[in-house]
Amino acid sequence: KVKHSLEAGSTLAFEQHKQYLLDYPLYPYLEYTRISRRLTLDDRPAVDQFLASYQDTWLAERLRNSWLALLYSKRLWQLYQDYYVPATATTELECHYHFARYQTGQREEALDGGVELWAVGKSQPQACDALFSLLVADQRITQEVAWRRYTLAIIDHQYALGSYVERFFVSDQYRRQASNYVALDKNPARVGEYNLFAAKTPEFLAIIEHGIRHLAGQNALLALKHWARYLQSHPFEEDTRKRVLNDLVKSLYAQGHEDIAANYLLEQSATADISLLEWQLRNSLYKADWGAIVKWIAVLPEEVQQQQRWRYWYARALLLHSSETSDIDTAKTIFRELSRFRSFYGLLASDAVANPYSMQHEPVPITETELATMAATPGIQRAREMLYLEQHYPARREWYHTGKKFDSRQWIIAARIAQQWHWHQQAILAMTRADYWDDIDVRFPLAFRDVFERNAKRQDLPLPLVLAISRQESAFAADVTSPAGAIGLMQLMPATAKEVAHKYKVPLRSNQQLVDPELNIRLGSQYYRDMLKRFGGNRILATAAYNAGPHRVSQWLGKSAGKLPFDAWIEVIPFNETRQYVQNVLSFSVIYAHHLQRPDPLITVQERGTLL
């Protein structure tokens, strides 16, 4: 009631109850609302007190920004600088800061800062116009500065911005350069006119890279020829070489020059980005070329070779490629070593040598004093109160902001607090921020167990599998909506939910209903059952379809044409997100089976024996 009265413009209730609210965890919100509702210069003492008392809250940052906007509007330039904090400033505030500096005599510093804000490859906020006008009036937008912005704009295909910047080119030289650059952007083959791009400035190096990478998509062989020529004459940085190599190799493959691409990548392997070498390995996996896999893994840097993924595939390829006793022994030794881990590849290796799955469960001992100290932290108390009031977004915001300076152990303690609150998503994320993975009770809670169990039985689904999907999808946050619009525990897209609800006559009147655990789990479980039916009971395919859509999975199956073992098919899923999703869900289902004391395997006999 106090907050509502403040928002309505009345402070009477707040003043009457203030003395009783000072110890209330959300008192800063009331104080913020009182100060910010009609902010005037007379509120400076209150602003100062709030910023000092609650400097570690996100509310302080918001109040500071509002206060800065007021000071700027009142042309109080020195005060603006006094309250300005670079670490939390937006672009608008930064432009205002430099404008204020200019007004107080710090002209050179202000103009230098303005040039840095101007010379970017995108349009800046309107709030920067006054500062940029000073740059123009002081003739700080030289042709060199304008050329920096122009190249960035064209590289980003911001042609309208490029046209605006052209007005600063007064010499024929820069006008020709601009004309050539646009011509190159529209016709990348002109990168072969070496005399046009002879300069070795950073801007010209960026232009050449831009042209080569665009040309690679049209004619990779020609791009390769021109790139070899430029490498002899221009000093490109390593990151540039990596990007160009990536585009050349992938374009050569796409255009049917696979042998040239493979040989070129082998020659340039020291320059290649790790992701490109792994892409090449997946190409070999897609072809079931086990000998090539052994060869390409040997090209990886030693630390990458030792990653579980590539150790597993080295051993797997040895078994599929070689009948030598020594190779077989090497492969089995690798599998035994990997079987110590709880990862997807560790679980696969365990199956390969018939070892029991290792759960690696090692909770960190935490004292009651540590828990009490963490629970008494003001930000944690505010998050708890917000949860009690079912204000989930503000609760997450308080939690995140409070933890910005936490070390690893503090995050582990915070995870245990969140677990006690049944705030499963934040407990899981806290363990991730702590970089601690071996407390599987916290990381894999049996959240909403009754609801999941009821719907798993209804759809004849393994309970560990349904729990694993929700753990991967939402970390058991019932109220979350993804950037793509997926909602709730099992992250249902509204269109999918509507289709499933209509098909099975489940009442669904609005998308907001999808935050209800009962309804969300019911529809999500039914949809997963539909995917299982569509793909012959194969959980690998059904799980991929749940993430990427059934039509994509059908397309991938069409391309693989039933020639790949189950693990190779998973490894060559074109979407990194879906590949990781499938691996996680299958692995998580094993962990939940362990929690539920069930002997469920990572891969069933039928799935293992089916070529995809």
Side-chain angles (χ1 to χ4, degrees):
K1 290 181 179 179
V2 173
K3 186 172 185 294
H4 290 324
S5 68
L6 283 171
E7 289 172 340
S10 172
T11 61
L12 180 61
F14 176 72
E15 296 299 339
Q16 288 176 340
H17 296 88
K18 180 176 179 178
Q19 61 178 320
Y20 306 110
L21 295 169
L22 292 173
D23 294 330
Y24 180 52
L26 299 186
Y27 177 79
Y29 284 79
L30 299 174
E31 189 68 32
Y32 170 82
T33 303
R34 181 186 71 80
I35 298 170
S36 64
R37 64 185 181 84
R38 291 176 184 168
L39 195 61
T40 70
L41 294 176
D42 292 337
D43 291 311
R44 183 179 177 183
V47 170
D48 288 342
Q49 183 175 352
F50 190 94
L51 295 180
S53 300
Y54 307 112
Q55 58 183 317
D56 292 331
T57 70
W58 70 271
L59 290 171
E61 181 179 325
R62 174 178 283 190
L63 181 60
R64 184 188 304 277
N65 291 350
S66 298
W67 182 243
L68 285 170
L70 176 64
L71 295 178
Y72 187 84
S73 70
K74 300 297 184 181
R75 305 173 68 84
L76 297 171
W77 309 124
Q78 187 56 56
L79 271 181
Y80 188 98
Q81 295 172 70
D82 293 342
Y83 282 90
Y84 178 78
V85 176
T88 60
T90 63
T91 300
E92 290 90 336
L93 293 176
E94 189 176 359
C95 283
H96 286 170
Y97 170 68
H98 291 303
F99 188 84
R101 295 174 83 192
Y102 187 92
Q103 303 303 323
T104 56
Q106 303 174 67
R107 296 183 54 173
E108 291 301 315
E109 297 89 340
L111 293 173
D112 287 344
V115 167
E116 292 304 311
L117 287 165
W118 187 88
V120 297
K122 61 180 181 180
S123 296
Q124 293 286 43
Q126 189 174 3
C128 296
D129 287 354
L131 175 64
F132 292 167
S133 294
L134 295 177
L135 300 180
V136 174
D138 206 67
Q139 297 183 335
R140 291 302 181 99
I141 308 300
T142 64
Q143 292 187 100
E144 292 80 5
V145 169
W147 181 247
R148 280 167 51 195
R149 190 175 198 188
Y150 185 82
T151 56
L152 292 171
I154 300 302
I155 284 174
D156 211 25
H157 302 298
Q158 299 288 324
Y159 299 115
L161 177 59
S163 295
Y164 161 76
V165 175
E166 283 182 13
R167 71 186 64 185
F168 297 100
F169 299 144
V170 295
S171 70
D172 290 340
Q173 174 192 351
Y174 275 102
R175 288 173 178 167
R176 282 195 304 271
Q177 286 178 189
S179 177
N180 289 337
Y181 197 0
V182 172
L184 173 66
D185 187 67
K186 295 180 178 178
N187 178 16
R190 294 199 65 183
V191 76
E193 298 178 38
Y194 306 127
N195 61 308
L196 296 180
F197 309 104
K200 298 177 176 60
T201 64
E203 291 77 24
F204 269 84
L205 295 176
I207 291 171
I208 294 167
E209 176 191 351
H210 184 69
I212 293 291
R213 294 178 68 188
H214 271 41
L215 181 59
Q218 301 174 6
N219 187 333
L221 288 176
L222 184 58
L224 180 59
K225 171 189 169 184
H226 293 324
W227 181 238
R229 165 68 170 71
Y230 280 114
L231 283 176
Q232 295 175 9
S233 58
H234 288 65
F236 295 99
E237 294 183 353
E238 183 179 358
D239 286 347
T240 299
R241 292 169 180 255
K242 286 179 184 292
R243 290 190 294 267
V244 173
L245 177 62
N246 181 79
D247 287 6
L248 285 172
V249 169
K250 290 185 177 180
S251 295
L252 285 167
Y253 264 99
Q255 293 165 26
H257 309 296
E258 294 187 11
D259 290 342
I260 295 174
N263 290 333
Y264 186 61
L265 177 56
L266 199 57
E267 292 172 6
Q268 303 292 326
S269 60
T271 301
D273 190 79
I274 300 304
S275 63
L276 180 59
L277 294 172
E278 292 183 333
W279 178 87
Q280 171 63 54
L281 270 161
R282 290 194 172 91
N283 273 343
S284 298
L285 277 168
Y286 187 78
K287 298 174 188 174
D289 189 347
W290 312 116
I293 291 166
V294 173
K295 179 187 74 174
W296 280 106
I297 288 177
V299 174
L300 293 171
E302 178 63 26
E303 66 274 15
V304 181
Q305 290 185 40
Q306 294 306 311
Q307 292 175 1
Q308 292 183 36
R309 181 191 309 274
W310 299 120
R311 291 197 74 203
Y312 172 83
W313 277 112
Y314 182 77
R316 184 85 158 103
L318 280 180
L319 289 179
L320 292 167
H321 174 63
S322 174
S323 58
E324 295 290 333
T325 302
S326 60
D327 287 339
I328 295 172
D329 289 344
T330 297
K332 289 183 177 179
T333 298
I334 292 172
F335 284 146
R336 281 192 290 270
E337 291 172 353
L338 288 176
S339 70
R340 296 182 290 111
F341 300 101
R342 191 182 55 245
S343 66
F344 177 69
Y345 298 100
L347 298 172
L348 284 176
S350 296
D351 284 344
V353 290
N355 277 355
Y357 297 141
S358 173
M359 289 296 107
Q360 297 177 279
H361 178 47
E362 294 183 21
V364 176
I366 297 172
T367 68
E368 289 299 321
T369 300
E370 288 178 306
L371 289 172
T373 300
M374 176 62 71
T377 303
I380 299 297
Q381 290 187 329
R382 288 193 294 270
R384 182 69 184 93
E385 187 67 13
M386 285 294 188
L387 274 183
Y388 178 78
L389 296 172
E390 297 186 354
Q391 298 294 309
H392 296 101
Y393 176 71
R396 285 193 290 268
R397 185 163 50 188
E398 282 288 354
W399 182 267
Y400 170 77
H401 197 91
T402 301
K404 278 186 174 181
K405 297 180 181 179
F406 280 2
D407 59 24
S408 178
R409 183 164 185 84
Q410 287 173 307
W411 271 122
I412 291 173
I413 299 168
R416 200 69 61 83
I417 293 286
Q419 181 191 35
Q420 293 175 353
W421 298 349
H422 302 289
W423 201 14
H424 303 295
Q425 181 196 40
Q426 295 308 320
I428 292 165
L429 290 177
M431 281 301 193
T432 301
R433 293 185 179 115
D435 196 26
Y436 189 78
W437 311 98
D438 291 338
D439 189 334
I440 63 173
D441 287 344
V442 175
R443 294 189 60 233
F444 297 94
L446 291 167
F448 304 96
R449 177 173 177 173
D450 292 345
V451 185
F452 278 111
E453 196 159 21
R454 186 161 54 250
N455 283 281
K457 287 180 180 178
R458 177 185 290 158
Q459 301 301 335
D460 191 25
L461 295 171
L463 176 57
L465 180 63
V466 185
L467 286 165
I469 292 169
S470 186
R471 166 61 172 80
Q472 173 64 24
E473 287 284 357
S474 68
F476 299 113
D479 66 306
V480 295
T481 300
S482 76
I487 300 172
L489 287 169
M490 298 190 73
Q491 287 290 277
L492 293 169
M493 293 298 292
T496 301
K498 183 178 180 180
E499 180 182 334
V500 174
H502 177 75
K503 182 177 179 180
Y504 294 100
K505 297 181 173 56
V506 178
L508 178 62
R509 294 178 298 279
S510 72
N511 293 341
Q512 187 57 35
Q513 288 180 270
L514 294 175
V515 302
D516 173 51
E518 183 74 51
L519 181 61
N520 191 283
I521 294 170
R522 180 178 180 182
L523 294 176
S525 300
Q526 182 66 68
Y527 181 64
Y528 190 86
R529 165 50 63 187
D530 288 351
M531 294 301 98
L532 271 178
K533 289 179 182 177
R534 178 165 179 163
F535 293 104
N538 189 303
R539 297 171 308 139
I540 296 168
L541 303 179
T543 302
Y546 194 94
N547 176 259
H551 298 298
R552 286 198 180 99
V553 173
S554 295
Q555 291 172 0
W556 299 338
L557 287 170
K559 291 179 180 179
S560 59
K563 66 185 180 187
L564 293 180
F566 74 95
D567 50 356
W569 193 89
I570 294 172
E571 195 67 60
V572 301
I573 289 175
F575 296 168
N576 291 336
E577 177 193 330
T578 303
R579 184 188 316 126
Q580 190 64 54
Y581 183 93
V582 172
Q583 293 176 356
N584 284 354
V585 168
L586 294 175
S587 302
F588 294 173
S589 70
V590 170
I591 297 169
Y592 277 112
H594 167 80
H595 277 331
L596 296 164
Q597 299 181 330
R598 294 171 49 136
D600 297 11
L602 177 73
I603 305 294
T604 67
V605 173
Q606 180 185 2
E607 291 162 350
R608 186 176 298 279
T610 303
L611 292 176
L612 301 174

